[in-house]
Amino acid sequence: MAWHAVQALVFDVFGTVVDWRNGVAREAAPFLERHAPGRVDAHDFADRWRSHYVPSMQAVSSGRRPFVRLDVLHRENLEAALRDVGVDPAGVPASELDALNLAWHRLDPWPDSVGGLARLKTRYIIAPLSNGNIRLMLDMAKRAGLPWDAILGAEVAQAYKPTPQAYLRTAEVLGLQPAQICMVAAHNGDLAAARQCGLRTAFVRRPAEHGPGQTTDLHPQQDWDAVVGSLDELADLLVE
Amino acid sequence: MAWHAVQALVFDVFGTVVDWRNGVAREAAPFLERHAPGRVDAHDFADRWRSHYVPSMQAVSSGRRPFVRLDVLHRENLEAALRDVGVDPAGVPASELDALNLAWHRLDPWPDSVGGLARLKTRYIIAPLSNGNIRLMLDMAKRAGLPWDAILGAEVAQAYKPTPQAYLRTAEVLGLQPAQICMVAAHNGDLAAARQCGLRTAFVRRPAEHGPGQTTDLHPQQDWDAVVGSLDELADLLVE
C-alpha cells in the first residue's frame, strides 16, 4: 500500500478509540439503582441503549428526518431503552435524563489510544470521523486527552456514516482526495463504506468492545490496507 | 461581569491570535521578487491582498453567492491583488499561485498566543471562531502549536462573520447559550456583532496588526466585558 500518499488519518471513535460499553454502564449504574433497583444490569442496559443507535440514524440517512446531532438521538434512544426495561421515562426528572445522556461525553479511551494518537499526530493530520457530534467529541477529548487536530465527522458533514456523504464531505473539508485519507475503525462495515468512497482503510481489533461474548468484528472481512491490534501498533507501522 | 457563567472562549484568529501581515509578506517576498522584481513591497502586497477580504465575503453574506470556504476567496483575491500591482496572474503557473495561497496556513502566532491559550484551555473550551476554513485553521494550529479543543468558525457555521448566523450557529454546535460564550477579538466590529447576538466580549489590543501606521482598532469602542493587551493577560484575568 502506498502509505506515503496518505496525509490524514480519520477515526471511528465509539469502540475504536474509546470503550463505550463500560463507560455507559459505569454512568448508568447509579441511575438504574435509583429507578429500577436490583432489576437491570448496567451492561445490559448499555447494550440496549446502543441497540437503538443504528435505527435512529437510519431515519436521518434515509431522508425521513432532517439531520439532527447525535446528542438528540441519544436522548430519544435513552427514553426508548428505559421503556424496554420497564422504566417509564415520564416518571424521571428531565434533568436526570439529560445528565445521563452525557455519559457518552465521558467515555474512557482504550489503554493504547492516547499514546498511539500522539505518535500518529507527529506525521499525519488526525481527526475523528465519528457519528458523535462536535460537542460530544470535544468533551470526550478534553477529559481523556485525545490530541485531535480538528473535530470532523457527522455534524460537520451533516451526514451519518455509512452514507457516502459522511466520507466524501470530510475529504472535501480536508482539501484532500479520498485516497490521501485513511479511515481507521474496529468495524468492517465502516471500512467497507469508506473503501467504496476511495479512502484507505485500517482495521483495529477491539474484541472486547461488546463485552466478553462479542461475536461481531472479531476479524477483518476484507483485505484492509492495515490490520492492527491497537493504535500503538498502527503507529509502529506508520511512524518511525 | 458574570464570568463564572462563561464556558467557552471563541477567538478571532487573523490579527488576534496570529500576525497575518508579516506572515503573508514573508511568504510573498520571494514570489514578488520573481514576478515583479524590485517593484512591489511585500508588506504593501499583503495589505492589498487583505483589502479584498471583506468585499469577497460580502458576496457570500449578501446571498449573491453560495457559501465557499475562505481558501477559495483567498485564491481569487490573490489574482485580484496581483492585477492591482500590474502582474498578470494568467502569466504565473497555477501551481505557484496555489502555493502562495497557502501563506495564510503558515502564519506565526503573536508571542503571547500559545502560552495564553494553553492557560485558558485549562478552564474553558477554546476554539477559533474565524472566517478561515477548517483546513486552514488546522494547518496553522499544527504548525504553530495552537492548542484548540475544536475548530469552529465560518465553515462549520456555513456563514461568515459578522453575520449573526456565524455566532449563533457556533453557540448551537457548542450546546451553549450565547451568554455562556465569550468572543475574543482585536476588532471592535467583530465584538459588536457578537454582543448583538448575546455573547460576552473581550478586546485584545493588537496595535501592530496593520503595521507601524495602524489607525484602526487601537482602542475599545464599547465597554467590552474585558480589555487586555495579550492572551496572557486574558489568562491572568480568567484563570488562577
Side-chain angles (χ1 to χ4, degrees):
Chain A
M1 222 296 280
W3 285 104
H4 62 85
V6 171
Q7 294 190 33
L9 308 177
V10 295
F11 294 77
D12 175 65
V13 173
F14 300 120
T16 302
V17 176
V18 302
D19 173 6
W20 60 265
R21 188 170 184 264
N22 284 307
V24 169
R26 177 195 70 219
E27 301 267 333
F31 177 96
L32 294 166
E33 217 31 65
R34 280 196 302 280
H35 296 288
R39 279 205 296 117
V40 187
D41 176 77
H43 285 87
D44 289 347
F45 185 75
D47 290 338
R48 199 168 282 274
W49 194 353
R50 182 70 167 180
S51 75
H52 292 276
Y53 171 73
V54 168
S56 67
M57 290 186 298
Q58 277 166 347
V60 173
S61 299
S62 68
R64 293 200 304 281
R65 179 177 188 179
F67 185 85
V68 290
R69 64 180 62 100
L70 190 62
D71 274 342
V72 173
L73 299 178
H74 272 158
R75 182 66 169 73
E76 296 170 359
N77 296 345
L78 171 57
E79 299 200 14
L82 287 170
R83 280 189 292 267
D84 291 344
V85 298
V87 175
D88 179 6
V92 181
S95 61
E96 265 195 70
L97 298 173
D98 292 343
L100 181 54
N101 201 45
L102 295 178
W104 298 91
H105 296 221
R106 291 188 290 256
L107 304 177
D108 290 330
W110 299 111
D112 53 277
S113 293
V114 173
L117 289 175
R119 290 171 63 205
L120 292 164
K121 182 175 180 166
T122 62
R123 179 137 165 198
Y124 298 94
I125 293 170
I126 60 166
L129 199 182
S130 164
N131 284 328
N133 49 290
I134 295 173
R135 178 63 192 267
L136 189 166
M137 287 290 131
L138 187 164
D139 285 345
M140 180 193 283
K142 211 167 164 76
R143 175 179 175 277
L146 302 172
W148 304 123
D149 285 312
I151 293 181
L152 305 179
E155 191 174 8
V156 173
Q158 294 282 297
Y160 282 112
K161 296 185 298 181
T163 57
Q165 290 77 6
Y167 307 94
L168 296 173
R169 289 186 193 147
T170 298
E172 209 186 314
V173 162
L174 286 171
L176 295 174
Q177 296 301 311
Q180 296 175 297
I181 304 175
C182 178
M183 180 79 216
V184 182
H187 308 123
N188 285 283
D190 196 353
L191 297 182
R195 177 175 272 185
Q196 283 282 335
C197 292
L199 282 75
R200 303 305 182 179
T201 51
F203 181 77
V204 188
R205 294 179 203 273
R206 294 298 192 195
E209 175 186 358
H210 293 280
Q214 180 164 332
T215 56
T216 56
D217 286 318
L218 293 172
H219 307 290
Q221 285 167 3
Q222 293 187 38
D223 60 330
W224 307 124
D225 298 306
V227 175
V228 294
S230 69
L231 298 189
D232 251 332
E233 208 183 298
L234 188 64
D236 291 343
L237 196 67
L238 298 182
V239 182
E240 305 315 300
Chain B
M1 223 294 282
W3 285 103
H4 61 86
V6 172
Q7 293 188 35
L9 308 176
V10 294
F11 295 76
D12 175 65
V13 173
F14 299 119
T16 300
V17 176
V18 302
D19 173 5
W20 61 266
R21 188 170 184 267
N22 283 308
V24 170
R26 177 196 68 220
E27 300 268 333
F31 177 97
L32 294 167
E33 214 33 63
R34 280 196 301 280
H35 296 286
R39 276 206 294 119
V40 186
D41 176 78
H43 285 88
D44 289 347
F45 185 75
D47 291 337
R48 197 167 283 272
W49 194 355
R50 182 70 168 180
S51 74
H52 292 275
Y53 172 72
V54 169
S56 67
M57 291 186 298
Q58 277 166 346
V60 172
S61 299
S62 67
R64 290 199 306 280
R65 179 177 189 178
F67 184 85
V68 290
R69 63 180 63 99
L70 190 61
D71 274 342
V72 173
L73 299 178
H74 272 157
R75 182 68 169 72
E76 295 171 359
N77 296 345
L78 170 58
E79 299 199 15
L82 286 171
R83 281 189 290 267
D84 291 345
V85 299
V87 175
D88 179 6
V92 180
S95 60
E96 263 195 72
L97 297 173
D98 292 343
L100 180 54
N101 201 44
L102 295 178
W104 298 91
H105 295 222
R106 291 188 291 255
L107 304 177
D108 291 330
W110 299 111
D112 53 276
S113 293
V114 173
L117 289 175
R119 290 172 63 204
L120 292 164
K121 183 177 180 164
T122 63
R123 179 140 167 197
Y124 297 94
I125 293 169
I126 60 165
L129 200 183
S130 163
N131 284 330
N133 49 292
I134 294 174
R135 178 65 193 265
L136 189 166
M137 286 290 132
L138 187 165
D139 286 344
M140 179 193 283
K142 211 166 165 74
R143 177 179 175 277
L146 302 172
W148 304 124
D149 286 311
I151 293 181
L152 305 179
E155 190 174 9
V156 173
Q158 294 282 298
Y160 283 111
K161 297 185 296 180
T163 57
Q165 290 79 4
Y167 307 94
L168 296 173
R169 289 185 193 148
T170 297
E172 210 186 313
V173 162
L174 286 170
L176 295 174
Q177 297 300 314
Q180 296 175 295
I181 303 174
C182 179
M183 181 79 216
V184 183
H187 309 123
N188 285 284
D190 196 353
L191 296 181
R195 176 175 272 184
Q196 283 282 334
C197 293
L199 281 75
R200 304 304 183 179
T201 51
F203 180 78
V204 188
R205 295 179 201 273
R206 295 296 191 195
E209 175 187 357
H210 293 278
Q214 179 164 332
T215 55
T216 56
D217 286 318
L218 293 171
H219 307 289
Q221 285 168 2
Q222 293 187 35
D223 60 332
W224 308 123
D225 298 307
V227 174
V228 294
S230 69
L231 298 189
D232 252 332
E233 206 184 302
L234 187 64
D236 292 343
L237 196 68
L238 298 182
V239 182
E240 304 316 298

